[in-house]
Amino acid sequence: MRDRRQRGSKARRRGLWAESLAVAYLRLKGYRIVERNWRSKLGEIDILVRKGHVLALVEVKTRGDAALARGAVMGPQQRRLARALGHYLKTRPELAGLDLRCDVVAFAKLGWPIHLLDAWRPEAF
């Protein structure tokens, strides 16, 4: 059991590190950070950013290579994130009129982050 907790702790630290790098990277690209690690009963959103009239949900993924990181956000997680975003927008009605987008910032072991704009389209927010 201890090995499992240690692996989970290591993964959590790696995830927090990747999210911090993603925040810095997105700021350099001109995005304003609206929220970070927003949680509700419906799910967690890693990062919400705004640039102009666009509000983007950003999911951060770290994997061994870029292809795995790109494909890490699949159907069930996409639906959970969309529900969380819908709930978030109900708590922040002033953001409801913005164009919405779902992005992924992917990190592989080596190399720069990959920012996938409009990585998927949720069925509904």
Side-chain angles (χ1 to χ4, degrees), residues 4-100:
R4 180 185 238 171
R5 277 185 274 156
Q6 286 177 335
R7 282 194 306 267
S9 177
K10 185 177 179 181
R12 178 80 177 134
R13 284 192 310 271
R14 184 175 52 241
L16 291 173
W17 172 82
E19 286 176 14
S20 295
L21 285 178
V23 164
Y25 176 70
L26 292 165
R27 282 184 177 146
L28 287 172
K29 291 182 73 173
Y31 290 91
R32 184 175 60 84
I33 307 304
V34 176
E35 294 279 351
R36 185 171 175 193
N37 292 315
W38 184 83
R39 295 174 190 257
S40 79
K41 61 184 177 182
L42 297 177
E44 177 186 345
I45 298 173
D46 290 341
I47 306 169
L48 283 157
V49 296
R50 183 174 178 181
K51 189 174 189 180
H53 204 260
V54 173
L55 177 69
L57 174 155
V58 180
E59 182 68 8
V60 179
K61 290 296 180 185
T62 59
R63 295 294 185 269
D65 67 37
L68 289 174
R70 283 184 195 147
V73 182
M74 302 305 283
Q77 186 176 19
Q78 291 174 0
R79 287 188 293 278
R80 189 170 48 253
L81 288 166
R83 282 192 304 270
L85 181 58
H87 183 67
Y88 176 79
L89 291 173
K90 287 178 185 174
T91 69
R92 299 283 307 271
E94 71 276 11
L95 299 175
L98 298 175
D99 296 329
L100 301 175

Side-chain angles (χ1 to χ4, degrees), residues 63-66 107-113:
R63 295 294 185 269
D65 67 37
F107 289 91
K109 282 187 177 180
L110 300 172
W112 290 95

